[in-house]
Short mmCIF file of all heavy atoms in Angstrom, two decimals:
data_model
loop_
_atom_site.label_atom_id
_atom_site.label_comp_id
_atom_site.label_asym_id
_atom_site.label_seq_id
_atom_site.Cartn_x
_atom_site.Cartn_y
_atom_site.Cartn_z
N LYS B 3 7.32 48.01 -58.77
CA LYS B 3 7.81 47.00 -57.88
C LYS B 3 7.35 47.13 -56.47
O LYS B 3 7.03 46.15 -55.78
CB LYS B 3 9.35 46.97 -57.89
CG LYS B 3 9.96 48.22 -58.48
CD LYS B 3 11.50 48.10 -58.36
CE LYS B 3 12.18 49.27 -59.01
NZ LYS B 3 13.55 49.30 -58.74
N THR B 10 2.41 41.36 -51.90
CA THR B 10 2.80 40.07 -51.32
C THR B 10 2.80 40.20 -49.78
O THR B 10 2.31 39.26 -49.11
CB THR B 10 4.22 39.76 -51.77
OG1 THR B 10 4.23 39.68 -53.20
CG2 THR B 10 4.63 38.39 -51.26
N LEU B 41 4.07 30.10 -51.25
CA LEU B 41 5.30 30.87 -51.24
C LEU B 41 6.36 30.07 -50.37
O LEU B 41 6.05 29.07 -49.74
CB LEU B 41 5.11 32.23 -50.58
CG LEU B 41 4.28 33.20 -51.41
CD1 LEU B 41 3.93 34.42 -50.67
CD2 LEU B 41 5.12 33.63 -52.67
N SER B 42 7.61 30.55 -50.47
CA SER B 42 8.63 29.80 -49.78
C SER B 42 9.24 30.60 -48.61
O SER B 42 8.98 31.80 -48.50
CB SER B 42 9.76 29.43 -50.79
OG SER B 42 10.44 30.63 -51.12
N TYR B 48 12.61 37.37 -46.88
CA TYR B 48 12.99 38.53 -47.67
C TYR B 48 12.21 39.78 -47.24
O TYR B 48 12.75 40.85 -47.16
CB TYR B 48 12.70 38.21 -49.12
CG TYR B 48 12.96 39.44 -50.03
CD1 TYR B 48 14.22 39.85 -50.33
CD2 TYR B 48 11.85 40.13 -50.55
CE1 TYR B 48 14.42 41.00 -51.10
CE2 TYR B 48 12.07 41.23 -51.39
CZ TYR B 48 13.33 41.63 -51.63
OH TYR B 48 13.60 42.74 -52.39
P DT C 6 16.76 46.24 -55.27
OP1 DT C 6 16.36 47.62 -54.86
OP2 DT C 6 17.65 45.48 -54.44
"O5'" DT C 6 15.45 45.44 -55.66
"C5'" DT C 6 14.71 45.76 -56.79
"C4'" DT C 6 13.71 44.72 -57.07
"O4'" DT C 6 14.37 43.56 -57.69
"C3'" DT C 6 13.02 44.13 -55.85
"O3'" DT C 6 11.63 44.09 -56.18
"C2'" DT C 6 13.60 42.73 -55.65
"C1'" DT C 6 13.97 42.31 -57.06
N1 DT C 6 15.05 41.36 -57.27
C2 DT C 6 14.92 40.35 -58.14
O2 DT C 6 13.88 40.14 -58.73
N3 DT C 6 15.98 39.52 -58.24
C4 DT C 6 17.21 39.66 -57.65
O4 DT C 6 18.17 38.83 -57.81
C5 DT C 6 17.34 40.77 -56.74
C7 DT C 6 18.63 41.00 -56.01
C6 DT C 6 16.25 41.58 -56.57
P DA C 7 10.52 43.79 -55.06
OP1 DA C 7 9.25 44.43 -55.46
OP2 DA C 7 11.09 44.09 -53.74
"O5'" DA C 7 10.28 42.24 -55.19
"C5'" DA C 7 9.79 41.67 -56.43
"C4'" DA C 7 9.89 40.20 -56.38
"O4'" DA C 7 11.28 39.73 -56.43
"C3'" DA C 7 9.31 39.57 -55.10
"O3'" DA C 7 8.44 38.51 -55.40
"C2'" DA C 7 10.53 39.04 -54.35
"C1'" DA C 7 11.42 38.68 -55.55
N9 DA C 7 12.83 38.56 -55.20
C8 DA C 7 13.61 39.22 -54.22
N7 DA C 7 14.89 38.93 -54.23
C5 DA C 7 14.99 37.96 -55.21
C6 DA C 7 16.11 37.25 -55.66
N6 DA C 7 17.33 37.39 -55.15
N1 DA C 7 15.91 36.37 -56.70
C2 DA C 7 14.68 36.25 -57.20
N3 DA C 7 13.56 36.88 -56.85
C4 DA C 7 13.78 37.76 -55.83
P DC C 8 7.33 38.00 -54.34
OP1 DC C 8 6.33 37.21 -55.07
OP2 DC C 8 6.93 39.14 -53.50
"O5'" DC C 8 8.21 37.07 -53.43
"C5'" DC C 8 8.04 35.65 -53.51
"C4'" DC C 8 9.10 35.02 -54.48
"O4'" DC C 8 10.34 35.70 -54.31
"C3'" DC C 8 9.42 33.61 -54.08
"O3'" DC C 8 8.48 32.75 -54.77
"C2'" DC C 8 10.83 33.37 -54.53
"C1'" DC C 8 11.37 34.81 -54.76
N1 DC C 8 12.64 35.05 -54.01
C2 DC C 8 13.79 34.37 -54.37
O2 DC C 8 13.73 33.59 -55.29
N3 DC C 8 14.96 34.66 -53.73
C4 DC C 8 14.99 35.55 -52.74
N4 DC C 8 16.14 35.81 -52.08
C5 DC C 8 13.76 36.26 -52.32
C6 DC C 8 12.66 36.01 -52.99
P DA C 9 8.18 31.36 -54.14
OP1 DA C 9 7.00 30.77 -54.84
OP2 DA C 9 8.18 31.45 -52.70
"O5'" DA C 9 9.47 30.52 -54.60
"C5'" DA C 9 9.76 30.29 -55.97
"C4'" DA C 9 10.82 29.18 -56.10
"O4'" DA C 9 12.12 29.80 -55.71
"C3'" DA C 9 10.64 27.95 -55.28
"O3'" DA C 9 11.00 26.84 -56.06
"C2'" DA C 9 11.53 28.11 -54.07
"C1'" DA C 9 12.68 29.02 -54.64
N9 DA C 9 13.27 29.91 -53.69
C8 DA C 9 12.60 30.92 -53.00
N7 DA C 9 13.41 31.66 -52.26
C5 DA C 9 14.66 31.09 -52.45
C6 DA C 9 15.95 31.45 -51.96
N6 DA C 9 16.09 32.44 -51.09
N1 DA C 9 16.96 30.66 -52.40
C2 DA C 9 16.75 29.68 -53.24
N3 DA C 9 15.60 29.28 -53.80
C4 DA C 9 14.61 30.07 -53.35
P DA C 10 10.60 25.39 -55.58
OP1 DA C 10 10.34 24.59 -56.80
OP2 DA C 10 9.57 25.44 -54.50
"O5'" DA C 10 11.93 24.81 -54.92
"C5'" DA C 10 13.16 25.16 -55.53
"C4'" DA C 10 14.35 24.57 -54.73
"O4'" DA C 10 14.86 25.62 -53.85
"C3'" DA C 10 14.00 23.37 -53.83
"O3'" DA C 10 15.00 22.45 -53.85
"C2'" DA C 10 13.79 24.05 -52.44
"C1'" DA C 10 14.89 25.15 -52.49
N9 DA C 10 14.64 26.27 -51.63
C8 DA C 10 13.42 26.72 -51.21
N7 DA C 10 13.51 27.81 -50.41
C5 DA C 10 14.89 28.00 -50.28
C6 DA C 10 15.69 28.92 -49.58
N6 DA C 10 15.12 29.90 -48.82
N1 DA C 10 17.00 28.85 -49.73
C2 DA C 10 17.52 27.91 -50.45
N3 DA C 10 16.89 26.93 -51.22
C4 DA C 10 15.60 27.06 -51.06
#
Side-chain angles (χ1 to χ4, degrees):
Chain B
K3 14 177 176 170
T10 304
L41 287 171
S42 70
Y48 173 73

